[in-house]
Amino acid sequence: GESVGLHLPTLSVQEGDNSIINCAYSNSASDYFIWYKQESGKGPQFIIDIRSNMDKRQGQRVTVLLNKTVKHLSLQIAATQPGDSAVYFCAENTAGNKLTFGGGTRVLVKP
Amino acid sequence: DVKVTQSSRYLVKRTGEKVFLECVQDMDHENMFWYRQDPGLGLRLIYFSYDVKMKEKGDIPEGYSVSREKKERFSLILESASTNQTSMYLCASSLSGILAKNIQYFGAGTRLSVL
């Protein structure tokens, strides 16, 4: 099948457990951050976003945490399900309308 | 519902051919983007456009050109395809404006093989 990344860091998690995906960003001036999910054979899909004036935002089963001091972003997925198996990318709004994407983390959910 | 449509899911072309990748969005977005995605390299921006007939180079524009004659359509052109342009190509669009969040919505991708 298709693969979006052969050299991606991989997080292997048991179904039902919580997942934490980490991302370090580079630009301290970035004011907006997004997490995307990319399933095999599909384009990236928006999951959740956060502005730099916040440190936490919750969605349905997902939470994003932002630590500007150390330029770190994390995505927490509660009660991970098989459908959560995908590659997850963080993106930062660096200039104008452009986004800079991280390299991605592959999440594998074990039944 | 947001929709970005890329005309082909798979393409096989020969070295030296001129290749057109088409992308259409139905959200009236001002901004459109073309990326390529390669194993280990993530998403790299080729070109983007913030208005009709406007274009800006991204990080890796060499060997590519683009066309935006209508707001909803953004075309990526490989003037003379080479084997190192074998890749997954992703189109995206986003809304412009001070209050707009810069969420980019992606198409399903076109996997191009240049032989």
Side-chain angles (χ1 to χ4, degrees), chain A residues 4-5 7-8 89 101-103, chain B residues 36-44:
Chain A
V4 300
H7 310 290
L8 292 174
F89 294 94
F101 289 85
Chain B
R36 62 177 286 176
Q37 185 175 34
D38 301 287
L41 297 176
L43 276 75
R44 293 182 291 166

Side-chain angles (χ1 to χ4, degrees), chain B:
Chain B
D1 201 14
V2 166
K3 190 124 187 205
V4 178
T5 303
Q6 294 183 230
S7 55
S8 303
R9 292 299 309 275
Y10 300 94
L11 276 179
V12 180
K13 297 291 181 180
R14 298 214 173 270
T15 303
E17 279 193 79
K18 189 169 186 176
V19 182
F20 293 86
L21 302 183
E22 305 288 347
C23 176
V24 176
Q25 51 96 2
D26 65 359
M27 298 160 286
D28 203 35
H29 284 173
E30 291 83 5
N31 306 313
M32 295 189 74
F33 306 83
W34 274 106
Y35 296 87
R36 62 177 286 176
Q37 185 175 34
D38 301 287
L41 297 176
L43 276 75
R44 293 182 291 166
L45 182 63
I46 304 171
Y47 266 97
F48 67 102
S49 167
Y50 52 88
D51 202 351
V52 175
K53 296 192 185 295
M54 306 301 287
K55 61 183 179 183
E56 294 281 345
K57 292 181 180 179
D59 300 319
I60 50 163
E62 296 79 18
Y64 303 94
S65 62
V66 290
S67 173
R68 185 129 183 241
E69 295 297 317
K70 294 185 178 180
K71 190 176 185 180
E72 66 270 19
R73 186 179 297 269
F74 192 34
S75 303
L76 179 69
I77 304 153
L78 287 67
E79 294 289 342
S80 178
S82 63
T83 54
N84 63 10
Q85 292 179 309
T86 291
S87 186
M88 169 71 90
Y89 289 88
L90 290 163
C91 174
S93 72
S94 70
L95 199 58
S96 194
I98 293 174
L99 298 180
K101 290 185 174 182
N102 193 14
I103 300 172
Q104 292 184 16
Y105 296 91
F106 285 83
T110 297
R111 184 162 292 280
L112 173 67
S113 296
V114 183
L115 306 178

